Structure formats: structure tokens, C-alpha cells
Amino acid sequence: GRLHYFTKLALRSELTEQASMLLEKILEKDRNDLLAMRELGIIEFEKRDYSDARQFLRAYLDLKELDFDKVDKVEDRDIIALFDYGEILLHEHQALEANDYFLRAESLLAEMQERPLHLSLLYAQVTYKLGRIDEAVSLLQELLDQHPHNEWVLLSLAHIFMDQGDYNDAGLLFENI
């Protein structure tokens, strides 16, 4: 209804606090509202509140029957929820369980014919999390060729270089931000 409409507007406008309030009202009315669980989980993850993010995303992923064979039925935010939940599990030192969520996100991203920039970045991050460092660097360098001044691409590549101890290349990227 109306709460969902205003929530989507707030999310599109990046009005996170307003969206959170609306989402909490939605959950007060319906504790199993999938949109509210997913979006609150993603918002809490972005705020680094892993406890609340874990609770919302776990509930969402338990209730949502994602059909991983049909990427056309999965929303971008579903894939982000899978990735974020994997990150939370990594943060909790549950690497094997985290890999399951990264693999699910990767399979959906790999099936996409065309990925918007934010999902191309996510694909590179998932590839990196799965330990395929050279592939992740290659994906990010391709994105950098297409978007040479995009801060997210530069930061993602610099992050990998720093993790790998390549501070010179990371520094060069930071100079372009």
C-alpha cells in the first residue's frame, strides 16, 4: 500500500532514516513483510549494525524462496542481501557458511547478460571473496577502462591491492579519487 510506495520513494532518494522508520511501521503491521526485512537488513548492514542486519537478512532469506535457476525473477536487492549476509557471516568468522551465500550471489550475477555498474562491482567483490583474486582484479580493471573516474571502481581495486600488500598500485589509484 501507501507505506510501501513511500518507502520505495525514500530508498530511491537515499533517505535512509525515513525509509527505516517506514519499514519499521510496515513490520509492525506485518512481521513477515519481505521487502521490509530485506531493506532493513541492507540498511543496518550499511550502518555496520551487524546484529540487526543479521536478524533481518536471516529472516528474509529464510522466508524468501529465491529461485536461483531463474535470474530474471530475482531483484538486484536480493543479490545484495545475499552478499551482505555473507559478509556478516565472515565478520562472525563463519567463512564456510559465508561462501555459500557468496556462491549463490555469484551464480545469479554470472547469469546476467548485462549488469549495471553497481552489480558489476558486486560481481568483482564476490569473486574476490571467493578467493579468485586475479579474476576480481581483471573484472575491476575492465570496469576502470569503462569508468576511469568512478570512485567506487577505484576504491574497490585499491582495496584489493592493499589487501595483497601492493601499496604502490593502491596509492596510485587513491591519487585519482
Side-chain angles (χ1 to χ4, degrees):
R2 294 176 64 95
L3 282 177
H4 282 95
Y5 172 76
F6 288 123
T7 300
K8 287 179 181 178
L9 283 178
L11 288 169
R12 250 184 261 129
S13 302
E14 297 183 21
L15 301 171
T16 311
E17 290 302 315
Q18 292 81 351
S20 289
M21 291 185 325
L22 292 166
L23 290 164
E24 287 171 12
K25 286 184 183 196
I26 290 170
L27 281 180
E28 285 173 17
K29 293 181 179 200
D30 178 3
R31 291 183 46 202
N32 292 326
D33 187 283
L34 292 174
L35 172 83
M37 281 187 246
R38 181 186 71 195
E39 294 306 323
L40 275 170
I42 292 171
I43 289 169
E44 294 304 318
F45 177 82
E46 289 171 352
K47 292 187 335 191
R48 303 272 188 254
D49 185 343
Y50 297 129
S51 176
D52 283 348
R54 185 187 210 291
Q55 175 188 342
F56 288 123
L57 291 174
R58 176 77 260 155
Y60 170 73
L61 293 169
D62 283 346
L63 288 173
K64 174 80 174 178
E65 291 297 322
L66 292 176
D67 186 349
F68 292 104
D69 294 329
K70 296 185 177 136
V71 72
D72 57 317
K73 293 187 177 184
V74 177
E75 296 178 36
D76 293 3
R77 304 286 283 178
D78 293 330
I79 300 169
I80 293 167
L82 286 168
F83 179 81
D84 288 356
Y85 192 69
E87 285 277 44
I88 291 166
L89 292 173
L90 261 187
H91 181 75
E92 295 174 349
H93 309 290
Q94 297 177 38
L96 287 176
E97 293 88 347
N99 272 4
D100 290 341
Y101 289 91
F102 293 142
L103 285 168
R104 290 163 86 183
E106 180 203 28
S107 72
L108 292 167
L109 290 163
E111 285 182 44
M112 292 182 161
Q113 300 298 334
E114 291 185 31
R115 287 183 290 272
L117 179 59
H118 72 284
L119 290 182
S120 293
L121 279 166
L122 188 64
Y123 188 53
Q125 289 176 319
V126 167
T127 303
Y128 181 68
K129 295 291 180 183
L130 291 170
R132 298 196 316 264
I133 298 163
D134 292 340
E135 185 180 344
V137 168
S138 177
L139 289 166
L140 288 167
Q141 286 175 330
E142 284 177 30
L143 287 175
L144 192 57
D145 290 343
Q146 298 165 14
H147 309 277
H149 304 291
N150 184 287
E151 289 184 8
W152 292 109
V153 176
L154 291 163
L155 283 170
S156 296
L157 192 54
H159 173 77
I160 290 176
F161 287 154
M162 286 178 54
D163 274 358
Q164 300 305 307
D166 186 349
Y167 299 108
N168 290 334
D169 283 343
L172 292 171
L173 291 169
F174 279 121
E175 288 175 10
N176 291 315
I177 296 175

